[in-house]
């Protein structure tokens, strides 16, 4: 079911039907490099991830990640955008990921603008965060274009690598 529309995109809640798409998305070179290996190697893995992460978030917080499709191809997922409330972070954070063939076309920005609007108007979120790998220049550039500013380096997941924390008051 379509939750929102932008000039070129449709945003819909993620369902278990998107399992094969998530196997593809979460194993792209940039996802593995900048987000990390989530060990989603089969449709079964993807369905478990969708249930335990995305569907749980909708039920717990009313928001989560949303599937992106092009208006002219509404049955072909191209990426995700969303808001996630992580236990290790004080405020919700915005995130996005696109299949490589849809990067550098403004879809991430267009979808994220809609997400920030939702965060403020629909979900009454007053401060939004974002975390990214320090080497992910494309993500950093997009976060800055969205008006988020760098605050500090953090290690929220007790991993070997620190992440950059960006924030914006809505």
């Amino acid at each position: 079911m379509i939750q929102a529309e932008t000039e070129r995109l449709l945003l819909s809640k993620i369902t278990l039907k998107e399992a094969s798409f998530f196997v593809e998305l979460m194993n792209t070179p940039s996802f593995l490099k900048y987000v990390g290996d989530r060990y989603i190697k089969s449709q079964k893995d993807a369905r478990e991830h969708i249930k335990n992460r995305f569907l749980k978030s909708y039920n717990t917080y009313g928001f989560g990640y949303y599937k992106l499709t092009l208006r002219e191809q509404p049955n072909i997922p191209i990426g995700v955008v969303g808001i996630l409330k992580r236990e290790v972070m004080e405020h919700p954070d915005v995130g996005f990921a696109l299949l490589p063939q849809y990067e550098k076309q403004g879809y991430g920005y267009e979808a994220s603008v809609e997400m920030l609007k939702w965060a403020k108007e629909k979900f009454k979120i007053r401060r939004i965060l974002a975390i990214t790998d320090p080497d992910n220049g494309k993500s950093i550039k997009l976060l800055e274009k969205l008006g988020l500013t760098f605050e500090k380096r953090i290690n929220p997941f007790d991993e070997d690598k620190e992440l950059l924390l960006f924030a914006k008051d809505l």
Side-chain angles (χ1 to χ4, degrees), residues 24-58:
E24 180 182 4
L25 179 68
M26 297 175 107
N27 287 288
T28 62
S30 62
F31 194 96
L32 292 170
K33 181 177 181 179
Y34 297 122
V35 179
D37 192 344
R38 298 296 184 249
Y39 305 101
I40 309 297
K41 307 300 179 194
S42 69
Q43 288 195 33
K44 180 182 177 191
D45 296 339
R47 283 191 295 275
E48 285 301 310
H49 187 80
I50 290 167
K51 274 193 269 186
N52 296 329
R53 184 111 174 197
F54 305 123
L55 301 182
K56 183 178 178 182
S57 183
Y58 299 147

Side-chain angles (χ1 to χ4, degrees), residues 143-166:
L143 293 172
E144 290 173 339
K145 187 175 179 180
L146 291 166
L148 283 86
T149 55
F150 171 74
E151 291 203 338
K152 61 185 175 181
R153 290 179 173 265
I154 62 169
N155 191 342
F157 309 115
D158 295 323
E159 295 176 353
D160 292 339
K161 192 167 192 174
E162 286 185 323
L163 300 174
L164 302 181
L165 175 71
F166 287 77

Side-chain angles (χ1 to χ4, degrees), residues 126-142:
R126 296 292 163 235
R127 183 167 174 79
I128 195 84
L129 306 176
I131 52 175
T132 190
D133 184 294
D135 298 327
N136 192 345
K138 289 187 290 187
S139 179
I140 293 167
K141 186 176 176 181
L142 177 52

Side-chain angles (χ1 to χ4, degrees), residues 12-15 18 22 50 54-55 58 65-67 80:
S12 307
K13 280 189 175 177
I14 294 165
T15 69
E18 278 82 51
F22 273 93
I50 290 167
F54 305 123
L55 301 182
Y58 299 147
Y65 271 75
Y66 298 85
K67 171 183 69 173
V80 295

